Amino acid sequence: MVKRKKEDIIDKIVAWGCKLVHLDKHTATFQQLAKFFIVGVTNTAINWTIFAIALHFLPIADEVAKSVVASAIAFALATVFNFWASTTWVFETTNKKSRKRLFIEFAVMTGIAFLVFDEAMLAWLVSLGWQPMLAKIATTACGMVFNFITRKIFLEDHSEKKH
């Protein structure tokens, strides 16, 4: 059984827009994308803020190492917010999986994106001479599509028909 989310102002605005441009059959997808975008922007703000603060205060001389550690701290804190927001507002999560299992799957997929995009790509770009915050922006952009696809696959229950 899938938990149904109560319709909110974002759902209503998107539904109105879809009706206006005759995309009624895609309303649910656009509603979900709009919410994913809002959560993503908020999560990114949290992540970047913590990253910038950590860059300022971490007592590490090597710029690459400092960037990687600051990114890890920011990632860990932002992931908790992102899981909560994704499972309570964006995706219709399944009752077939426990919250613990959902979090583990979420953390693994988010962790893969983090290691590939935030850590490896960040370290590479900073080692090439990029300013750490610009490198962070670039890595965030690369991870967005991966994050949406994996969250949709692992958080939702696709075996049931939605009415």
Side-chain angles (χ1 to χ4, degrees):
M1 173 155 225
V2 174
K3 293 190 309 190
R4 295 278 172 222
K5 305 224 182 295
K6 183 180 171 193
E7 187 173 75
D8 59 28
I9 188 71
I10 301 301
D11 291 325
K12 291 175 184 174
I13 292 169
V14 172
W16 173 80
C18 286
K19 186 172 184 162
L20 188 69
V21 295
H22 307 291
L23 291 172
D24 294 6
K25 68 181 183 177
H26 302 290
T27 297
T29 300
F30 284 115
Q31 288 169 329
Q32 191 175 48
L33 282 169
K35 290 177 178 183
F36 180 78
F37 177 78
I38 292 167
V39 168
V41 167
T42 305
N43 185 69
T44 299
I46 291 167
N47 192 312
W48 289 359
T49 300
I50 294 167
F51 178 74
I53 292 167
L55 274 178
H56 182 73
F57 288 106
L58 282 172
I60 301 172
D62 181 68
E63 196 71 15
V64 174
K66 183 190 277 190
S67 297
V68 169
V69 171
S71 184
I73 293 167
F75 165 79
L77 296 173
T79 295
V80 174
F81 163 77
N82 203 315
F83 176 76
W84 172 80
S86 292
T87 59
T88 60
W89 195 49
V90 179
F91 297 100
E92 294 177 352
T93 57
T94 178
N95 289 334
K96 291 182 180 179
K97 298 178 185 177
S98 68
R99 281 297 272 179
K100 181 180 177 182
R101 179 171 171 194
L102 283 174
F103 183 76
I104 290 168
E105 290 176 355
F106 180 89
V108 167
M109 290 298 108
T110 304
I112 290 169
F114 168 70
L115 289 172
V116 171
F117 298 112
D118 276 21
E119 294 294 70
M121 191 174 173
L122 180 74
W124 177 65
L125 292 174
V126 172
S127 73
L128 291 177
W130 284 45
Q131 193 277 336
M133 202 66 218
L134 290 177
K136 182 73 169 168
I137 291 167
T139 63
T140 299
C142 291
M144 286 172 41
V145 172
F146 178 84
N147 285 335
F148 181 77
I149 292 168
T150 57
R151 287 181 181 121
K152 188 139 181 78
I153 290 169
F154 289 99
L155 292 179
E156 288 188 330
D157 184 358
H158 301 281
S159 64
E160 297 179 18
K161 292 186 178 185
K162 296 177 187 174
H163 293 74

